[in-house]
């Protein structure tokens, strides 16, 4: 099934207090007037002029060009469109396929103020190039800009060679799963090879950090004790296993000398590993997800299986003290950006695990809700400023994945991905409010939030306005990402200093008996070998 190929209408839109007015209809040129323009490093009252899919000018006052479409944004924030760096659209996983495809997921994203995302492509039977081809084909249905990360699920010479080919295709990040034993999980040896290859290619390694061997062991123990329901999921994946794997991956990346990106940081345990590494000066990025910032695990204990299963994701939602700690870590810069890990399965798909929690497909929604959830939890809650909100929902992702300032900034020459958010509008999240026709549950069901994205402009097109979503299937565009982004700058020096090795890779001179040879026994280092 699919969305009717053009327009959704949202009822009750007249409640919108933003008073947006469209006074001309030329699609190509749009002038947003009188809003508060917000970038990650500035905020001022001003106008934004859009022409030919790009931002033409940002200034306190811009004369309206003849025929321009005028949007009055007074009382609203005008910001870069959201960037979701972690989604799973149309992904085969755990015996089924995520419910949102590139069209339904992206359409919903646009209605929620996200204009660009980076999806995780999976290899096909460990073949990266085949996986890439399949993902490119799937994404042709889309209606907004996207890029890919690629997962590495086995280590071979072919994989190493194919990683270089994919970098040439515009993939600059590779994900390693330390969990999902028997399917996606790699071992430490493979992870080390992968980290090193990423370093050579200037690609950012990403880890799903949970100790998958220990998870499998815990699952057996729980099933033996007759724990078969959804609560077995968080019980088998305690925060310690996330913390252990996060610390392990960070230490390995540190020795190899490559930056590391930890996806879906869900626990204090993992967050503190990221904090300690950053304090040591290591280049580690920590990505919380909207669900981990706003929810806790309590629903997984619900007696109603369908409700409980809807909240099953990995790493799991945690007990109540974790989300506030993650929000503070995000506000203070210990964690850098917010994703969703949008991986939706409907109730019948989740039902596969009715008698065995291991078979509940892991994943929750968020691609449409993230911008509102983060505004509520961070800005309305007083933890972050609008500029910081822009950084964590947009700019940081663009910088980390090396597409800034094309994305993530309102400035002349940047892509015209722009949102208008009215801070006065209250609304309620849930299935009824969602623009994906594929979801029959929503982990944010009934959550009231203040502040609403009232208009979304995607590459210069007004696609969401006055409650109407106007998107065209097949209009999405692949954005290639170049390697050696800013995180790689100074990495060689970092690695040398981290290892505190004063000498190069010269072997200690010894004679054939292993005795000190000419030149004495000066210590040597691995720094130049790596
Ligand atoms: O539960 C989750 N997170 N599902 C999607 C796959 C992954 O681990 O990111
Ligand atoms: Zn994951
Ligand atoms: Zn994921």
């Amino acid at each position: 099934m699919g969305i009717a190929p053009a327009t959704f209408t949202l009822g009750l839109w007249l409640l919108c207090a933003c008073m947006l007015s469209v006074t001309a209809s030329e699609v190509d040129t749009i002038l947003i007037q009188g809003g508060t323009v917000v970038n990650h490093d500035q905020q001022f009252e001003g106008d934004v002029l859009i022409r030919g899919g790009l931002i033409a000018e940002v200034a306190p006052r811009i004369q309206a060009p003849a025929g321009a479409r005028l949007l009055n944004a007074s009382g609203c924030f005008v910001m870069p469109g959201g960037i979701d760096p972690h989604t799973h659209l149309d992904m085969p996983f755990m015996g089924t396929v995520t419910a949102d495809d590139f069209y339904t997921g992206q359409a919903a994203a646009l209605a929620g103020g996200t204009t660009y995302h980076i999806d995780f492509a999976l290899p096909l039977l460990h073949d990266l190039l085949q996986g890439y081809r399949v993902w490119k084909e799937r994404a042709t249905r889309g209606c907004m800009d996207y890029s890919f990360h690629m997962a590495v699920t086995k280590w071979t010479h072919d994989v190493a060679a194919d990683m270089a080919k994919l970098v040439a295709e515009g993939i600059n990040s590779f994900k390693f799963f330390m969990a999902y034993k028997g399917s996606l999980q790699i071992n430490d040896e493979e992870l080390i090879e992968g980290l090193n290859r990423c370093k050579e290619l200037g690609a950012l390694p990403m880890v799903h950090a949970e100790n998958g061997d220990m998870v499998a062991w815990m699952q057996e123990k729980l099933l033996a004790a007759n724990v078969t329901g959804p609560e077995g999921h968080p019980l088998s994946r305690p925060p310690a296993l996330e913390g252990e794997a996060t610390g392990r991956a960070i230490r390995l990346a540190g020795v190899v000398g490559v930056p590391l990106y930890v996806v879906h940081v869900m626990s204090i345990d993992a967050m503190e590993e990221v904090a300690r590494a950053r304090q040591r000066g290591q280049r580690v990025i920590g990505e919380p997800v909207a669900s981990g910032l706003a929810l806790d695990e309590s629903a997984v204990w619900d007696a109603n299986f369908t409700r409980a299963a809807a909240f099953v994701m990995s790493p799991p939602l945690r007990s109540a003290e974790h989300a506030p700690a993650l929000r503070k870590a995000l506000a203070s810069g210990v964690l850098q950006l917010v994703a969703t890990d949008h991986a939706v399965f409907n109730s019948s798909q989740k039902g596969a695990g009715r008698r065995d929690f291991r078979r509940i497909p892991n994943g929750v929604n968020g691609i449409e809700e993230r911008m509102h959830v983060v505004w509520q939890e961070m800005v309305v809650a007083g933890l972050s400023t609008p500029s910081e909100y822009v950084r964590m929902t947009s700019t940081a992702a663009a910088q980390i994945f090396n597409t800034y300032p094309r994305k993530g900034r309102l400035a002349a020459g940047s892509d015209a991905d722009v949102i208008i958010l009215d801070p006065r509008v209250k609304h309620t999240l849930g299935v009824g409010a969602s623009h994906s026709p594929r979801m029959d549950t929503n982990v944010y069901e009934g959550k009231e939030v203040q502040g609403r994205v009232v208009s979304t402009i995607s590459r210069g097109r007004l696609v969401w306005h006055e409650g109407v979503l106007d998107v065209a299937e097949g209009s999405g565009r692949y954005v290639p990402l170049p390697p050696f982004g800013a995180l790689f700058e100074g990495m060689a020096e970092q690695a040398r200093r981290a290892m505190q090795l004063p000498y190069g890779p010269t072997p200690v001179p010894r004679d054939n008996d292993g005795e000190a040879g000419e030149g004495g026994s000066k210590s040597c280092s691995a720094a130049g070998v790596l």
Side-chain angles (χ1 to χ4, degrees):
M1 83 148 171
I3 301 172
T7 303
F8 304 93
T9 307
L10 183 76
L12 298 177
W13 192 250
L14 293 173
L15 290 176
C16 168
C18 192
M19 304 305 292
L20 284 165
S21 57
V22 179
T23 54
S25 62
E26 188 176 323
V27 171
D28 199 34
T29 303
I30 298 172
L31 180 61
I32 305 171
Q33 296 178 306
T36 302
V37 176
V38 190
N39 275 315
H40 78 282
D41 56 357
Q42 58 176 178
Q43 176 174 324
F44 62 93
E45 302 305 305
D47 300 348
V48 177
L49 179 64
I50 290 161
R51 193 184 287 127
L54 298 176
I55 295 174
E57 191 181 352
V58 181
R61 177 108 181 77
I62 301 173
Q63 189 66 34
R69 188 167 193 171
L70 304 182
L71 302 183
N72 174 0
S74 70
C76 298
F77 292 98
V78 183
M79 301 186 279
I83 300 176
D84 188 344
H86 184 162
T87 62
H88 301 279
L89 300 181
D90 211 353
M91 178 182 75
F93 186 57
M94 296 184 72
T96 182
V97 179
T98 53
D100 266 328
D101 62 26
F102 276 82
Y103 182 47
T104 62
Q106 291 183 351
L110 290 167
T114 288
T115 51
Y116 168 57
H117 73 121
I118 314 181
D119 200 73
F120 281 96
L122 295 183
L124 205 65
L125 301 173
H126 307 298
D127 184 330
L128 274 56
L129 296 185
Q130 289 289 0
Y132 171 65
R133 281 183 205 114
V134 169
W135 244 261
K136 271 220 120 169
E137 173 57 31
R138 289 183 180 141
T140 57
R141 290 203 64 207
C143 54
M144 77 180 197
D145 282 4
Y146 60 91
S147 301
F148 298 129
H149 317 282
M150 173 56 75
V152 172
T153 52
K154 192 182 175 132
W155 192 254
T156 65
H157 286 300
D158 281 351
V159 166
D162 290 350
M163 285 172 72
K165 290 178 191 154
L166 290 176
V167 168
E169 290 285 320
I171 289 183
N172 70 3
S173 48
F174 293 91
K175 182 177 181 184
F176 303 88
F177 290 91
M178 300 169 80
Y180 302 124
K181 192 170 179 156
S183 58
L184 302 172
Q185 184 174 329
I186 43 95
N187 60 34
D188 281 1
E189 197 180 341
E190 293 172 308
L191 176 59
I192 292 163
E193 293 291 358
L195 291 170
N196 191 50
R197 187 66 176 142
C198 282
K199 177 183 165 177
E200 290 168 354
L201 296 170
L204 184 59
M206 312 172 83
V207 282
H208 172 130
E210 286 184 290
N211 187 319
D213 293 340
M214 188 74 188
V215 168
W217 188 83
M218 295 285 288
Q219 288 173 334
E220 294 301 333
K221 295 267 173 238
L222 285 156
L223 287 170
N226 260 336
V227 180
T228 58
E231 64 282 3
H233 184 75
L235 288 172
S236 63
R237 309 177 95 102
L241 302 191
E242 190 190 344
E244 185 277 329
T246 304
R248 180 160 36 106
I250 287 173
R251 292 291 184 174
L252 296 179
V255 175
V256 169
V258 66
L260 184 72
Y261 183 111
V262 183
V263 302
H264 47 41
V265 172
M266 296 294 284
S267 63
I268 295 171
D269 307 50
M271 178 269 286
E272 287 182 343
E273 293 292 341
V274 173
R276 274 194 286 275
R278 290 176 66 87
Q279 211 165 19
R280 289 195 300 269
Q282 206 180 323
R283 298 266 172 86
V284 177
I285 302 295
E287 171 211 85
V289 293
S291 54
L293 293 170
L295 306 172
D296 65 38
E297 65 179 359
S298 49
V300 179
W301 266 265
D302 200 293
N304 178 314
F305 171 86
T306 301
R307 176 165 150 74
F311 288 78
V312 166
M313 66 172 292
S314 292
L317 293 164
R318 303 299 186 186
S319 50
E321 70 275 20
H322 290 266
L326 295 179
R327 293 197 292 266
K328 284 182 207 145
L330 177 65
S332 62
V334 167
L335 303 174
Q336 287 70 53
L337 73 172
V338 185
T340 60
D341 196 8
H342 184 81
V344 169
F345 301 98
N346 63 32
S347 300
S348 65
Q349 292 174 297
K350 292 263 184 183
R354 199 168 271 282
R355 280 175 199 81
D356 180 348
F357 66 84
R358 294 174 306 175
R359 302 195 191 290
I360 302 170
N362 293 188
V364 302
N365 64 290
I367 202 166
E368 181 169 357
E369 293 83 3
R370 178 187 69 128
M371 296 296 279
H372 293 128
V373 168
V374 178
W375 185 267
Q376 175 70 32
E377 299 295 346
M378 303 304 291
V379 183
V380 177
L383 280 174
S384 300
T385 64
S387 275
E388 288 164 343
Y389 171 81
V390 166
R391 173 179 57 75
M392 61 185 66
T393 57
S394 183
T395 312
Q399 291 171 332
I400 290 165
F401 294 104
N402 210 10
T403 187
Y404 180 83
R406 175 180 176 179
K407 301 286 187 193
R409 185 163 191 87
L410 299 183
S414 296
D415 282 357
D417 292 345
V418 185
I419 58 170
I420 303 174
L421 184 143
D422 189 333
R424 298 160 294 194
V425 180
K426 279 189 180 156
H427 58 123
T428 305
L429 306 177
V431 171
S434 157
H435 290 80
S436 166
R438 302 286 172 85
M439 298 192 318
D440 64 355
T441 60
N442 187 322
V443 292
Y444 302 105
E445 193 65 50
K447 184 175 174 67
E448 287 185 13
V449 290
Q450 170 105 32
R452 172 154 212 158
V453 174
V454 292
S455 302
T456 304
I457 296 166
S458 167
R459 271 168 39 217
R461 275 199 71 237
L462 187 59
V463 292
W464 167 248
H465 187 59
E466 293 181 340
V468 176
L469 184 58
D470 179 8
V471 291
E473 186 172 336
S475 63
R477 181 181 60 172
Y478 176 62
V479 178
L481 300 172
F484 289 107
L487 280 170
F488 281 82
E489 272 167 35
M491 240 3 256
E493 182 61 13
Q494 270 244 353
R496 198 184 68 72
R497 282 171 194 246
M499 296 174 86
Q500 296 179 324
L501 296 166
Y503 306 115
T506 323
V508 176
R510 293 194 186 88
D511 62 23
N512 287 343
D513 299 326
E515 295 304 327
E518 208 137 298
S521 59
K522 207 163 69 170
S523 62
C524 76
S525 81
V529 176
L530 292 173

